[in-house]
Amino acid sequence: MLFQRVRSTFRLIRTYHETKEEVSYVYHKFSKTLYAEQQAYLLTKTQRLQTMPTAVTKLRESVEPKKLLPQFEQFVLETKSYESQLELHKRKKKRKTALEYPYGLMQNFFRAVVCSYAEKYPHLSELCIVDQPFVTTIWERYGSKVTMHGSQASFLMGKTPLPRFYDQAVVDESSNFELESVHPNPPFFDFAETSEELPQTCLSGFKGTPPFPHLHTMVLIDLFSWPENQIVQKAMMYLFAHLTTDMVQRQGKQYGDVLDEPVAAQAIVTNGKRFHFIWYQLNTLDLKDDSGIKNLVYVESPPWLYKKIKTKEDSNQKYLTEMRAETLKQFLTPLLNKTN
């Protein structure tokens, strides 16, 4: 296996340096790459910032999640109990099953947030859930074509867009940032290769102008507990793909353009216990090289929502240990983020 991996590595490096114009590189929902986040930043021309957007920070300081803690705990216990029964049923039939628990949990969480906060945050009643829309995005990077396609996440779509996360001064400053290389490997290392002719257009899965045209929050379920760098890479690549496709397909922008009005979207990534939060701002479609301004991202990976599910010996009643109000507060922040 090691020999095959080494041989594959040298073959890809040789292909990239000698015949890169004949090969296209494909990223899909099952892709795992060696450098993960670094490759995602390189291929999407994105700078990772260490400071949370100011507006998001102010919103988080105003959120009080304690009233939802008991309700969320009950959702976790109920959904987890259902999943245990479902897995037992499927094992009896000798069928493999992926974890279905996070899907039901996120639906219950979102319903509770809408019921509790819709009066104060009316935009919540104007969000539409879209389940796993398909996307195909093609762009040129370092002289080679990169294609991303697939349907993986659920979307909260809004009638109006989110405001930009970072002001023009931060955007302009990004032009001085140098992206981290993965040299001596090519930036497409571990990507699938194809020599087939690819479609020449970006497709978002939406026809015309839908009633809810703007991506508000992407919810990506981590079914298989991928390593943190891999699942963050996947979420960021899908955010980039959907925002880019919307600009090209619906807004009439072209690759090479620098956006006068940057667009922003958020992501919640979870396996039902552990969360990652991503704030992404698309500033440019000038992706051929590293010059000029960059796209911007802020990634936050707090500890678990809860640690364990235990059972009381006297009553056989289940309960959660170390339920973290701070993680719940972080979860509420992107959902309560207002659109323009």
Side-chain angles (χ1 to χ4, degrees), residues 20-40:
K20 60 184 179 183
E21 68 279 3
E22 300 175 3
V23 177
S24 294
Y25 299 93
V26 180
Y27 184 89
H28 52 80
K29 63 182 180 181
F30 296 115
S31 296
K32 284 187 177 182
T33 63
L34 180 63
Y35 298 99
E37 286 186 69
Q38 293 97 318
Q39 287 177 263

Side-chain angles (χ1 to χ4, degrees), residues 108-119 121 124-125 127 335-336:
N108 284 324
F109 278 10
F110 182 62
R111 181 174 63 83
V113 172
V114 173
C115 292
S116 301
Y117 290 97
E119 184 175 352
Y121 300 92
L124 287 171
S125 60
L127 294 178
L335 297 179
L336 300 182

Side-chain angles (χ1 to χ4, degrees), residues 315-327:
S315 62
N316 203 32
Q317 183 179 357
K318 294 184 180 297
Y319 66 97
L320 302 182
T321 63
E322 299 184 39
M323 185 82 168
R324 297 187 75 256
E326 185 61 29
T327 300

